[in-house]
Amino acid sequence: MTETANRALTAALIRLLRPLVRLLLRYGVSYQAFADLARWAYVDVASREFAIPGRKQTVSRVSVLTGLNRKEVSRLQATEQPDDTVAEQRHNRATRVINGWLRDPRFRDDGGHPLPLPFEAEAGGPSITELVRAHSGDMPPRAVLDELERTGAVHAGDEGLHYLAAEGYVPGGEVEKLHILGSDVAELVATIDYNLHAEGGEPRFQRKVAYNNLPAEALPALRRLTADRSGELLLELNEWFAARDRDTAQDGAEEGDRHRAGLAIYYFEDPDDAPPAS
């Protein structure tokens, strides 16, 4: 790495760490706890992704790559990764239920709009229970409905009917939002890493627009504009993805390699007394 690149990487890490450290301090995570997690991540990535092609990764090589002694490497390799699959599954299954309600003809009216659904229906008619069974595996229908009502995605109406009130699932719980911290930030960093080394290849889309001297009175309109226009784009992309994803496509797509892809849009805002970016 050149001296210029090293200085740029150091400055980028400081900018990256500021909001992360702010969040960690708010949750009472000490530097020592963070350092322990960082050591584990160094060993995990070096073990999984930096082996010499055609050769098995060794403790000695991981030690050289990470700067940790071999005893520490062995200890960390035997330490289990923290598990957040419960939050991930809850998010994914709630999203699949909403997508099924929006797209599955069994749960839409003649105009293509989501039907109001009872919790259960006689003779196997459209219902919350059937919707969850069709699009969320073995999750209890009542638990899924409670989660969607808690987050405002579904509301109960008259005569025991339930109405879809949102076109996407926005987690409302602290645990689910912390899961997003891990998944979304990791995806952005992975895209930046890919683009840094995509020589001769097609870079992944990564753009933003920002101005640094906006009046406070312009911000409410900006928040509404970005939410509305971004929501429209994501709904359009959701239709495209759902028509091709093997879990939701209606045309019986052929089996083959699995790939995960998507687009994330986020709004950000800093006060004028925020720490400098560089």
Side-chain angles (χ1 to χ4, degrees), residues 101-117 126:
W101 205 339
L102 288 168
R103 295 182 50 82
D104 192 327
R106 293 173 293 176
F107 306 100
R108 299 192 299 180
D109 61 22
D110 293 339
H113 303 103
L115 287 166
L117 300 175

Side-chain angles (χ1 to χ4, degrees), residues 8 28 31 33 56 60 102 144:
Y31 166 75
K56 182 180 179 180
S60 295
L102 288 168
V144 174

Side-chain angles (χ1 to χ4, degrees), residues 42-51 57-58 62 65 73 77:
Y42 260 74
V43 170
D44 183 64
V45 173
S47 300
R48 293 173 182 270
E49 302 180 27
F50 283 81
Q57 186 66 300
T58 65
V62 173
L65 287 169
V73 169
Q77 286 179 331

Side-chain angles (χ1 to χ4, degrees), residues 197-203:
H197 301 95
E199 298 179 4
E202 182 179 358

Side-chain angles (χ1 to χ4, degrees), residues 84-197:
D84 68 346
T85 55
V86 173
E88 182 178 13
Q89 289 175 357
R90 183 181 300 175
H91 182 277
N92 290 342
R93 292 188 175 188
T95 299
R96 290 204 300 268
V97 167
I98 292 178
N99 283 340
W101 205 339
L102 288 168
R103 295 182 50 82
D104 192 327
R106 293 173 293 176
F107 306 100
R108 299 192 299 180
D109 61 22
D110 293 339
H113 303 103
L115 287 166
L117 300 175
F119 182 72
E120 291 183 333
E122 297 180 0
S127 68
I128 295 292
T129 299
E130 290 301 315
L131 174 66
V132 172
R133 287 174 178 169
H135 294 279
S136 192
D138 58 356
M139 285 291 289
R142 175 56 65 182
V144 174
L145 177 60
D146 288 346
E147 171 67 11
L148 295 179
E149 289 184 334
R150 183 181 67 84
T151 60
V154 173
H155 71 84
D158 297 332
E159 300 178 353
L161 295 177
H162 301 274
Y163 294 80
L164 184 62
E167 295 177 310
Y169 173 66
V170 179
E174 185 178 42
V175 173
E176 289 83 1
K177 290 179 180 179
L178 287 172
H179 167 74
I180 291 175
L181 166 68
S183 62
D184 289 18
V185 175
E187 289 163 356
L188 175 59
V189 174
T191 291
I192 294 172
D193 179 43
Y194 179 90
N195 288 341
L196 282 169
H197 301 95

Side-chain angles (χ1 to χ4, degrees), residues 18 22 269-278:
R18 283 186 188 276
R22 184 184 309 124
E269 181 181 309
D270 294 318
D272 57 6
D273 59 350
S278 60

